[in-house]
Amino acid sequence: MSFQNLREFVEVLKKENDLLVIDAQVDPYLELAEIHRRVIEEEGPALLFTNVKGSPFPVLTNMFGTSRRVDLAFGTRPEEIMKQIVGAADRIMPPTPKAIWGEKKLIWDMMKVGMKDVPSGTAPILQVLKRQNPLAGLPRVTSWQEDGGPFITLPLVYTESLKSRKAHNLGMYRMQIFDDSTTGMHWQIHKGGGFHYHEAEQRNEALPVSVFLGGPPALIASAIAPLPEHLPELLMASLILGGKLPVVSDPHSKHRIPAEAEFVISGQVPPHLRRPEGPFGDHFGYYSLIHDFPVFNVNHVWHRKDAIYPATIVGKPRQEDYYLGEYLQRLLAPAFPMVMPGVHELWAYAEAGVHALAAAVVRESYSREALSTAFSILGQGQLTLTKFLMLTDQPIDLSKFDVLLETVLERFQPQTDLFVFDETSHDTLDYTSGKFNHGSKAVMLGVGKPVRELPSSYEEGVIDEITNAQVYCRGCLVVSGASYEAEPQLAERLLTRLSERGTEWPLVILADDANVAHGQTSFLWTVFTRFNPADDIYANAEIRRHHFGYKLPIVIDARMKPGYPAELFAREDITKLVDSRWNEYFKS
């Protein structure tokens, strides 16, 4: 099933008893977000808030908060077509008439991909135009108490290159609402919209921007998909949609806009103008801090006469972005070997904030081919921001991190298979290096036959200064002791003690609480969002021929450190308020 707009999806969710309508008045400042977080934690239904304080528009959240709803939103057809496209690349080579005729169904499907213009009188998005204080009345959703203000959290930001209108980008960049006609524009270093803005600044011109809210669910998926830089997101949306995307010319801007969107916010981002944006409780599970970002001056807003305002709440995983990311990785997986021939499977872990950790099953047909493939992965689009990359040549399910880690640790040769690169780029939201947009990377290889047996239970006795030790998986031990502020050199002393006793454990994680070992989500989130490879990987090493040859064990200091942003917690009075009103929200 493909949905042409948001309300079609809402109607199906109602029929499936997977939508909860909350008619009680809810404050968009903190209260709405806390309700959402509790429901998604229980894998509950989508939420439609019909009585949002200060706004005439209902707010829809948690659309994609379970794997079932994601599958319902997009169906199986997009994945099937993606597999057909990749398979056809082999079947039509060499391109004989017979081979091409054999792909006639796929060719017919691909002819449906694109955009189609519809008359302005039939486009629901053009029903209402607002030019005076255009943002007034939009729900001012604030998710966390330290946020710098309300944010638009599901904006589909559309830009075109000033050099060529065909080169467009659709991305999701949070937007802090400053006033009724101005927002921030959180363009990060690896985002296509940011590239267009860089071009515009070089020409000293303002960049026209249109921000879509709602429309077909396919638009939302395509905006966050990690597509190659020159693959248009609107074509991906059409592919997922199963037909051409209806668009209409905006009479007051240069852009064509989705005819079935709920809102379109239109304006310009002037060159060389910055304004402090943030803090913002983001999908890493911490507050991203205040930084200067471009400013979006809004000229006008279009919306349906009965518009629904789509929003999401981000925070510690798992949130909606986890389930969407899971789907997009399945959708794009068949294409990875085409772009990177040595890659069989690729997975980025949403539990760790996506860019903090990725893994791949790769080909090792000659010695060190896996290392070459690692460089290829780190050179691809958003994958360039990967902080920790793990590779194996064994056919395993990468989504199960414990299986991956055991597979790598069984084969890992520390003298040759661990690489740490300092002075590289980091995700804008990753503060572990202490430098904005800068940090380090590590690559860990585990290919070939096993070279060691891994311990599965800890039986080595007491370790000085360590108060708790828990096994995450075979070969990986998680320990805890004093905080970093109290004992910043504890990781070094731990390495010395483990080395002197000849520990069997190849990888030891020093965490604030060793009990995070009991679950993939807690382990990945805690460990990989709290260390910078160049600062926090400890191992004895020898330098030979300009190469660091490490020795086991490897210790990673994944404790919270000074300068890290604060972890996200709901304010106590808000939790009490939601507790007291819980039955009121759901009485109908």
Side-chain angles (χ1 to χ4, degrees):
M1 182 181 296
S2 61
F3 299 101
Q4 300 300 306
N5 53 49
L6 194 61
R7 54 205 54 228
E8 286 184 1
F9 186 41
V10 168
E11 288 304 311
V12 169
L13 291 177
K14 287 180 180 178
K15 292 177 183 177
E16 294 284 327
N17 292 319
D18 210 1
L19 177 76
L20 196 62
V21 178
I22 298 179
D23 293 322
Q25 187 179 73
V26 172
D27 195 330
Y29 179 74
L30 305 183
E31 184 183 11
L32 185 151
E34 177 62 12
I35 299 169
H36 169 103
R37 288 191 291 267
R38 295 188 188 193
V39 172
I40 197 171
E41 186 176 2
E42 298 297 326
E43 296 192 349
L47 300 171
L48 183 64
F49 299 89
T50 62
N51 189 357
V52 178
K53 185 177 179 181
S55 176
F57 302 109
V59 174
L60 178 68
T61 75
N62 202 23
M63 282 183 287
F64 307 111
T66 64
S67 297
R68 178 184 179 276
R69 280 202 295 280
V70 170
D71 291 340
L72 183 64
F74 307 117
T76 59
R77 183 181 176 280
E79 292 180 67
E80 292 168 356
I81 288 184
M82 184 63 73
K83 291 176 182 177
Q84 292 173 19
I85 292 172
V86 173
D90 292 327
R91 292 191 295 269
I92 64 173
M93 297 302 291
T96 64
K98 181 179 180 180
I100 294 173
W101 180 250
E103 301 299 327
K104 58 183 180 297
K105 183 180 182 302
L106 176 61
I107 294 171
W108 176 250
D109 285 337
M110 295 308 296
M111 289 178 66
K112 301 176 185 176
V113 172
M115 291 171 280
K116 63 178 180 181
D117 291 290
V118 300
S120 59
T122 65
I125 185 57
L126 298 182
Q127 289 174 340
V128 180
L129 172 64
K130 190 169 186 180
R131 306 196 73 170
Q132 186 73 25
N133 298 321
L135 299 178
L138 288 185
R140 299 298 210 256
V141 178
T142 304
S143 302
W144 301 96
Q145 58 271 16
E146 298 299 327
D147 283 358
F151 280 81
I152 301 173
T153 54
L154 274 182
L156 310 179
V157 180
Y158 178 80
T159 57
E160 295 174 350
S161 169
L162 295 183
K163 298 177 181 178
S164 171
R165 292 193 64 187
K166 292 183 179 180
H168 74 252
N169 176 258
L170 186 71
M172 188 174 292
Y173 320 117
R174 74 189 191 216
M175 296 165 56
Q176 182 175 344
I177 300 175
F178 295 136
D179 53 47
D180 287 341
S181 61
T182 314
T183 79
M185 186 58 71
H186 191 87
W187 276 322
Q188 298 177 13
I189 57 174
H190 58 297
K191 302 295 188 180
F195 298 150
H196 290 165
Y197 182 57
H198 177 69
E199 287 179 1
E201 283 198 311
Q202 287 184 318
R203 297 164 62 144
N204 202 34
E205 294 182 35
L207 181 68
V209 174
S210 296
V211 178
F212 315 145
L213 298 180
L219 271 178
I220 297 174
S222 63
I224 65 174
L227 301 178
E229 186 177 332
H230 299 294
L231 179 60
E233 284 83 5
L234 292 185
L235 293 185
M236 173 60 72
S238 174
L239 176 68
I240 298 173
L241 189 63
K244 292 186 183 296
L245 178 70
V247 296
V248 63
S249 293
D250 182 343
H252 300 291
S253 81
K254 298 179 180 179
H255 292 163
R256 292 187 296 171
I257 58 180
E260 294 286 345
E262 299 293 318
F263 297 84
V264 172
I265 305 170
S266 182
Q268 295 182 321
V269 178
H272 314 298
L273 178 63
R274 302 293 187 271
R275 180 170 174 174
E277 182 253 31
F280 178 71
D282 62 44
H283 71 273
F284 264 57
Y286 309 91
Y287 287 102
S288 56
L289 304 180
I290 298 174
H291 298 287
D292 288 341
F293 277 93
V295 176
F296 180 38
N297 294 325
V298 180
N299 297 329
H300 62 275
V301 170
W302 291 103
H303 68 81
R304 289 172 176 258
K305 61 184 178 182
D306 55 350
I308 300 171
Y309 183 87
T312 190
I313 308 300
V314 293
K316 297 176 186 176
R318 302 180 176 181
Q319 302 293 333
E320 284 185 86
D321 57 320
Y322 171 86
Y323 298 100
L324 270 175
E326 190 179 55
Y327 167 77
L328 288 169
Q329 294 199 76
R330 291 201 318 265
L331 176 65
L332 298 174
F336 293 141
M338 293 184 66
V339 180
M340 298 170 284
V343 175
H344 299 310
E345 303 284 346
L346 182 67
W347 195 260
Y349 294 85
E351 300 100 324
V354 181
H355 294 309
L357 175 65
V361 175
V362 300
R363 184 179 63 202
E364 178 79 349
S365 59
Y366 60 86
S367 178
R368 312 308 283 169
E369 182 181 10
L371 181 59
S372 299
T373 303
F375 293 139
S376 175
I377 292 171
L378 293 175
Q380 297 292 329
Q382 295 185 33
L383 288 168
T384 59
L385 299 183
T386 300
K387 181 168 70 174
F388 201 95
L389 176 63
M390 301 182 69
L391 304 180
T392 185
D393 61 345
Q394 303 300 301
I396 61 172
D397 182 354
L398 292 175
S399 67
K400 298 177 180 178
F401 185 75
D402 56 346
V403 175
L404 166 71
L405 187 54
E406 289 178 355
T407 302
V408 170
L409 291 177
E410 285 177 331
R411 294 161 175 81
F412 169 65
Q413 298 277 19
Q415 298 85 357
T416 57
D417 293 342
L418 177 63
F419 299 84
V420 178
F421 306 102
D422 200 5
E423 300 297 337
T424 65
S425 57
H426 256 196
D427 190 321
T428 298
L429 306 180
D430 190 326
Y431 289 88
T432 54
S433 72
K435 297 180 181 179
F436 188 53
N437 289 334
H438 292 76
S440 60
K441 303 184 187 304
V443 174
M444 192 174 189
L445 310 178
V447 299
K449 296 180 179 180
V451 297
R452 69 180 59 84
E453 290 187 10
L454 301 175
S456 57
S457 62
Y458 183 71
E459 299 174 356
E460 296 182 1
V462 174
I463 307 172
D464 288 347
E465 298 187 89
I466 297 302
T467 57
N468 191 7
Q470 301 289 330
V471 175
Y472 171 66
C473 66
R474 291 187 301 115
C476 178
L477 185 69
V478 184
V479 302
S480 55
S483 68
Y484 184 91
E485 284 190 313
E487 294 291 345
Q489 279 78 45
L490 178 56
E492 296 179 53
R493 297 197 294 270
L494 176 62
L495 172 64
T496 299
R497 287 166 183 148
L498 293 173
S499 299
E500 289 175 348
R501 68 168 56 181
T503 183
E504 290 185 288
W505 295 86
L507 179 63
V508 178
I509 308 293
L510 177 58
D512 291 304
D513 181 1
N515 291 319
V516 299
H518 304 310
Q520 176 165 308
T521 297
S522 61
F523 177 81
L524 293 182
W525 178 70
T526 302
V527 173
F528 288 92
T529 64
R530 296 185 181 181
F531 83 91
N532 178 46
D535 292 323
D536 299 316
I537 294 179
Y538 293 85
N540 294 315
E542 295 178 349
I543 301 177
R544 185 170 180 270
R545 297 172 63 87
H546 300 280
H547 172 73
F548 279 87
Y550 298 98
K551 299 178 181 179
L552 295 181
I554 307 296
V555 173
I556 293 178
D557 188 348
R559 295 175 293 172
M560 287 290 283
K561 301 174 182 70
Y564 283 14
E567 186 178 334
L568 298 177
F569 293 103
R571 207 169 70 189
E572 185 177 356
D573 63 317
I574 297 299
T575 62
K576 290 180 178 179
L577 172 67
V578 173
D579 284 342
S580 68
R581 298 193 64 197
W582 194 252
N583 291 334
E584 183 184 350
Y585 302 138
F586 309 120
K587 64 183 179 180
S588 61

